[in-house]
Amino acid sequence: MSEKIQTIIDAVKELSVIELSELVKAFEEEFGVSAAAPVAVAAAGGAAAPAAGWCRRRRPRPA
């Protein structure tokens, strides 16, 4: 790893959570990117159904 990168990592280690949040916002604005995680596209036919035998409250369905 280059010395520049190590210097940046060391500096980031010293930041508070609020400062890290501000840093992310600054990177997003400066470079026109987003740090948001991509959302997986559901397969054709809509959202996945719950596993067989389970309802929304995670109780087994009666047989």
Side-chain angles (χ1 to χ4, degrees):
M1 181 178 335
S2 76
E3 190 175 324
K4 282 183 184 181
I5 303 247
Q6 189 59 52
T7 302
I8 292 169
I9 290 172
D10 292 339
V12 168
K13 286 180 183 179
E14 301 298 320
L15 298 176
S16 70
V17 174
I18 292 173
E19 290 170 324
L20 286 171
S21 175
E22 292 172 353
L23 177 64
V24 169
K25 284 181 187 179
F27 268 92
E28 288 174 339
E29 292 173 6
E30 182 70 24
F31 299 107
V33 296
S34 174
V39 177
V41 177
W54 290 87
C55 71
R56 290 182 191 180
R57 293 186 183 153
R58 301 257 181 199
R59 292 188 205 147
R61 293 182 182 161

